Amino acid sequence: MKFVHFTDTHLLQNIESTNLRTIFKKLSNHNEKFKQALINLELEDVEFISITGDLIHEGSIEEYAELKKLLDTYVPNTPVFLTLGNHDVKENFNKVFLGEEHTNAYYYVKNLENYRVVVLDSAIIGEHSGAIQDEQLQWLEQTLAENYQQGTLVFMHHPIVWEEKALCMENAKKLTSILTNSDAIGVFTGHTHMNGLHYIEHIPQFTSEGVAFGLVKEKDNCLSVTNQSGYNVYTVKNKLIEMKRSHIKPDLERLYTLKSEQVFRKHATEDTKV
């Protein structure tokens, strides 16, 4: 089985209204980058596409409508599994994609021919950090109570494991216990704007770089924003996962540098948090 993993698309309609306008003005048009990536996708044998959160940047109805239009236009025949991140606004997402008016968390399960896909919602309304709430954890435990065919693939925005602890979800202990005692064979996340492979005991966690922009670690606890962007393509066979990195824009030019705590601390200011 093959699938495509995008994350952190941060689609934006009005650059002047955004908290990161200084950065976005230096970036190439990331809405267009995502559009071109969809157009150029080689979809032969691709079972589904996943986008693991921060689908849009400001959370407006217009931004979600643009995302829906892009997906309906360029990948109309491929299932797309969407995940919510800290920039997503549940109320507006639910209106555009579900036709519903509520602020409920968005999590669900899809049973494919050989694999089960579980999408979790780690976004906390009004917070940069992430967590899986108790009701969702209970649902997950019940969902994974019985094994499924070749195993389960789990998607969420915030990573469970990362070198920078401020990027990890907050209540990872219970989630880790549920996953490691299940048939989960892989976890797929975003949020960091960097590629990474970590292990949750025996389960690999794959983190993809962002579509909108990249982040590079520097000395003195700094991060640089770059135009680099991409996505990952995975092939799953006999419960083993192979990852192939695909560049949208392989540009490592440093556009903006700031202290890590300005970006990733729990209560980062609106002018800096990503």
Side-chain angles (χ1 to χ4, degrees):
M1 181 185 69
K2 182 187 293 185
F3 66 92
V4 175
H5 178 197
F6 291 106
T7 194
D8 294 270
T9 41
H10 286 267
L11 294 190
L12 180 63
Q13 292 297 96
N14 184 359
I15 198 169
E16 292 300 331
S17 67
T18 180
N19 59 316
L20 295 177
R21 55 189 169 274
T22 302
I23 293 175
F24 279 115
K25 284 181 178 179
K26 294 183 178 182
L27 289 171
S28 57
N29 186 327
H30 60 289
N31 289 24
E32 184 64 25
K33 283 194 297 186
F34 182 52
K35 172 184 171 180
Q36 289 302 318
L38 293 176
I39 291 172
N40 294 332
L41 275 181
E42 296 180 4
L43 291 174
E44 184 179 359
D45 300 327
V46 169
E47 186 134 358
F48 66 90
I49 296 168
S50 172
I51 311 177
T52 51
D54 283 1
L55 307 172
I56 47 64
H57 192 72
E58 293 297 312
S60 68
I61 291 284
E62 293 76 17
E63 287 172 342
Y64 285 118
E66 176 65 15
L67 174 62
K68 190 173 187 304
K69 178 182 176 182
L70 288 173
L71 298 177
D72 289 346
T73 300
Y74 298 108
V75 288
N77 300 315
T78 305
V80 180
F81 300 146
L82 300 176
T83 306
L84 299 188
N86 48 286
H87 274 266
D88 289 294
V89 175
K90 299 181 196 296
E91 180 180 10
N92 290 341
F93 172 85
N94 290 333
K95 284 180 182 177
V96 174
F97 279 91
L98 306 182
E100 302 171 1
E101 296 201 13
H102 57 75
T103 58
N104 297 346
Y106 184 60
Y107 53 93
Y108 54 96
V109 59
K110 297 288 186 181
N111 293 329
L112 306 178
E113 184 176 351
N114 294 313
Y115 295 91
R116 175 168 55 194
V117 171
V118 169
V119 173
L120 300 177
D121 187 345
S122 62
I124 305 171
I125 295 176
E127 295 284 354
H128 177 263
S129 55
I132 305 296
Q133 303 298 331
D134 289 342
E135 180 180 341
Q136 193 176 165
L137 287 171
Q138 292 171 10
W139 171 87
L140 178 64
E141 194 163 25
Q142 293 170 0
T143 299
L144 300 183
E146 294 185 9
N147 291 350
Y148 183 83
Q149 301 290 330
Q150 293 296 310
T152 297
L153 307 172
V154 181
F155 297 81
M156 68 192 83
H157 182 63
H158 297 81
I160 298 173
V161 183
W162 196 261
E163 291 84 355
E164 175 60 64
K165 298 302 181 185
L167 288 174
C168 301
M169 64 177 59
E170 294 184 342
N171 61 340
K173 187 175 181 180
K174 176 63 174 176
L175 175 60
T176 297
S177 175
I178 294 172
L179 293 179
T180 54
N181 287 290
S182 75
D183 67 344
I185 60 171
V187 173
F188 305 86
T189 72
H191 190 53
T192 69
H193 291 257
M194 306 177 216
N195 257 304
L197 172 61
H198 299 76
Y199 281 85
I200 307 156
E201 294 190 13
H202 61 282
I203 305 171
Q205 173 193 276
F206 298 91
T207 303
S208 180
E209 63 190 310
V211 171
F213 56 88
L215 289 175
V216 177
K217 292 181 181 179
E218 308 285 11
K219 296 179 180 179
D220 302 321
N221 200 31
C222 288
L223 288 167
S224 290
V225 178
T226 77
N227 255 323
Q228 180 172 294
S229 60
Y231 58 94
N232 292 334
V233 178
Y234 303 91
T235 302
V236 189
K237 186 176 182 180
N238 298 326
K239 299 185 179 182
L240 297 177
I241 303 170
E242 177 184 316
M243 184 200 84
K244 179 182 178 182
R245 186 179 183 186
S246 295
H247 287 296
I248 299 173
K249 188 173 178 59
D251 186 352
L252 264 178
E253 178 189 359
R254 272 69 168 168
L255 303 177
Y256 199 87
T257 301
L258 61 168
K259 290 287 187 180
S260 298
E261 61 268 19
Q262 288 180 277
V263 181
F264 294 135
R265 66 177 182 269
K266 183 174 180 179
H267 299 293
T269 67
E270 289 298 324
D271 289 334
T272 58
K273 70 180 182 181
V274 301

